[in-house]
């Protein structure tokens, strides 16, 4: 797939701290927060492991409309810069990015089956970032669908 991966990299390490918090503000509103700070190093070369951002953060707020049982979720993701190669070439450095996503889900019953319709909007503010495998798509992405349980 032409993607540099830290496969068989001798004497490499990744260490860090991960913090996750979940909080219920009210019956209809709750939130999740996660933050990762990590360092990676290939001891033989002194470079960082590919695709290992120093920092990643995610904040998600979920709200449910009582009468309709509609679920609304807003997610903010931030990822710091990272390298796409194990040599850490400056031209292979990927910029960090922050995106905002919104998802609205409406539960319903179709032919006595539990179902839900959803609309998912990715990269709501059309944040500019690298066009690279593993990164969000360029531009705003709109996805709609129906999930049914059989």
């Amino acid at each position: 797939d032409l993607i540099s991966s830290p496969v068989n990299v001798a004497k490499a390490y990744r260490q860090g701290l991960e913090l996750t918090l979940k909080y219920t503000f009210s019956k209809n509103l709750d939130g999740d927060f996660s933050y990762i700070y990590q360092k990676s190093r290939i001891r033989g070369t002194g470079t960082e492991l590919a695709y290992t951002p120093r920092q990643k953060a995610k904040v998600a707020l979920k709200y449910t409309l009582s009468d309709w049982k509609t679920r609304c979720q807003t997610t903010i993701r931030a990822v710091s810069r990272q390298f796409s190669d194990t040599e850490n070439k400056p031209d292979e450095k990927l910029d960090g990015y922050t995106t905002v996503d919104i998802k609205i889900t409406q539960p319903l019953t179709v032919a006595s089956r539990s179902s839900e319709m959803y609309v998912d909007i990715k990269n709501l503010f059309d944040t500019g970032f690298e066009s690279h495998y593993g990164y969000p798509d360029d531009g705003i992405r709109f996805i709609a669908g129906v999930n049914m349980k059989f």
Side-chain angles (χ1 to χ4, degrees), residues 72-131:
C72 304
Q73 178 175 332
T74 301
T75 305
I76 302 169
R77 288 183 178 83
V79 176
S80 68
R81 65 104 180 127
Q82 57 191 299
F83 290 97
S84 64
D85 72 330
T86 54
E87 297 165 7
N88 295 173
K89 296 177 202 162
D91 57 333
E92 296 294 329
K93 184 167 127 180
L94 302 172
D95 291 333
Y97 64 88
T98 301
T99 60
V100 176
D101 305 332
I102 293 178
K103 185 172 186 177
I104 300 171
T105 306
Q106 177 62 55
L108 49 96
T109 303
V110 176
S112 72
R113 304 239 183 248
S114 177
S115 307
E116 62 183 22
M117 290 187 319
Y118 66 91
V119 174
D120 198 357
I121 303 170
K122 306 277 189 181
N123 195 12
L124 180 65
F125 298 115
D126 193 15
T127 302
F129 41 76
E130 300 286 341
S131 180

